[in-house]
Amino acid sequence: MSLIPAVLKDETLRADIDQTVPVSGVVIWWLGQSTFLVKARDGCVLFDPYLSDSLTRKYHDTDKPHVRMTELAIRGDQLTGVDLVTSTHNHTDHLDAETLGPLIDANPNITMVIPEANRAFVAKRIGCVADWPIGLNDSESRVVGTMTIHAVPAAHNTVDRDEMGRCKYLGYVVEIDGTTVYHSGDTLLYPGMAELLRPFAVDVAILPINGHRPERRVSGNLFGDQAAQLAKEIGAKVVIPCHFDMFTFNTESPKLFVETCEAIGQPYRVMRCGEPFKVA
């Protein structure tokens, strides 16, 4: 199967990121699956990077092969100037040791934000000192350099908590140079979700659209129409879909997402891997 080509990749993509210095607002690159690089004049955040083929190798000889659909745009060790990296939960496409180890080595001053409930697991997986990442629970916030990051619950498939009541799955709202970006992580809808998010006045909502199909035997996400409706309900100025076109067994077409956005008047942008998008 031919891979979907990245718009920019490897050193061309790296040069584009390095040379882009927004005067105002942010520039966003989709790097595949749920991985987004958001760069402002005075800060750069990398959401949930999966920049390897670790899952394809892991599941190659199983009954659930993770066959890659889109080219790998860039590796973790090729990205520099990253101030903040996130993990919304412990699944490998959101917490990948093969990505994070080289990324952290290439960015010695980087800060990592994780769900506090997952601290021990994160430290073991990526081999870091246990107290190094910043751990958040839902409703907590932290200032990292010029950015402020807020944690909100995610339901994957439910809003799961540990024995201390801390969320195992989070979404993050990041305020960066006057732009508010909401990255939901993996999530389904849950009661009060829109009401919780609306006060943040989200400029950019990044939401999964691969849906929830039990026959896949993996935790589910929003379908495209649900992502469009949620973006509309929270007042997002633009919504970007993600978590599709990575693995053949766990993807959906963005067609339903696009049709719903156009029907309800929700501004959207369907990005291609390795493509930059300027948000004024």
Side-chain angles (χ1 to χ4, degrees):
M1 183 184 73
S2 298
L3 294 176
I4 300 168
V7 175
L8 301 174
K9 66 178 182 177
D10 297 326
E11 290 306 313
T12 304
L13 175 56
R14 175 177 176 164
D16 187 61
I17 294 168
D18 290 347
Q19 294 167 12
T20 298
V21 183
V23 175
S24 62
V26 300
V27 177
I28 300 173
W29 291 262
W30 184 35
L31 304 182
Q33 196 68 336
S34 298
T35 307
F36 287 82
L37 186 78
V38 180
K39 187 174 184 181
R41 182 181 58 243
D42 297 318
C44 182
V45 55
L46 180 62
F47 288 104
D48 284 29
Y50 175 71
L51 303 173
S52 80
D53 284 313
S54 62
L55 285 170
T56 300
R57 289 192 301 272
K58 178 180 178 181
Y59 289 100
H60 178 69
D61 293 320
T62 72
D63 64 350
K64 194 162 55 180
H66 285 48
V67 179
R68 175 180 276 276
M69 297 175 65
T70 297
E71 282 186 319
L72 177 62
I74 198 165
R75 301 186 313 273
D77 63 352
Q78 293 177 288
L79 291 174
T80 57
V82 181
D83 301 298
L84 173 65
V85 62
T86 73
S87 169
T88 56
H89 62 285
N90 288 341
H91 293 159
T92 302
D93 55 336
H94 299 260
L95 181 70
D96 180 39
E98 290 190 22
T99 297
L100 288 165
L103 175 76
I104 292 166
D105 289 344
N107 295 271
N109 296 318
I110 199 170
T111 298
M112 185 174 187
V113 169
I114 63 170
E116 178 60 34
N118 301 344
R119 180 176 295 279
F121 185 97
V122 171
K124 182 177 181 180
R125 171 164 287 183
I126 70 173
C128 70
V129 177
D131 63 358
W132 173 65
I134 294 173
L136 295 178
N137 193 18
D138 60 304
S139 79
E140 294 182 340
S141 304
R142 186 67 66 92
V143 175
V144 178
T146 61
M147 296 171 278
T148 301
I149 183 166
H150 311 275
V152 297
H156 194 43
N157 289 336
T158 59
V159 179
D160 290 345
R161 298 182 182 273
D162 66 6
E163 65 280 358
M164 298 179 66
R166 302 174 299 194
C167 271
K168 297 179 180 180
Y169 305 101
L170 291 176
Y172 299 118
V173 178
V174 175
E175 298 174 36
I176 176 171
D177 197 22
T179 303
T180 301
V181 179
Y182 167 51
H183 188 294
S184 70
D186 283 355
T187 192
L188 299 176
L189 298 173
Y190 56 84
M193 187 177 190
E195 291 78 9
L196 177 67
L197 291 165
R198 203 171 291 131
F200 287 107
V202 170
D203 295 303
V204 182
I206 298 171
L207 302 175
I209 62 163
N210 62 301
H212 180 211
R213 299 191 187 276
E215 63 269 21
R216 295 174 180 163
R217 294 176 290 141
V218 292
S219 300
N221 276 318
L222 303 169
F223 280 103
D225 56 342
Q226 295 173 318
Q229 290 283 357
L230 177 62
K232 183 72 170 180
E233 290 178 17
I234 67 175
K237 293 184 176 63
V238 66
V239 57
I240 300 171
C242 67
H243 214 296
F244 67 99
D245 282 356
M246 178 57 76
F247 301 119
T248 55
F249 86 104
N250 191 15
T251 189
E252 294 283 333
S253 166
K255 182 174 183 289
L256 178 61
F257 167 81
V258 169
E259 290 175 346
T260 306
C261 283
E262 292 182 348
I264 64 177
Q266 170 59 49
Y268 67 93
R269 177 68 176 260
V270 177
M271 297 186 68
R272 295 174 294 167
C273 184
E275 176 187 17
F277 172 42
K278 175 72 166 68
V279 181

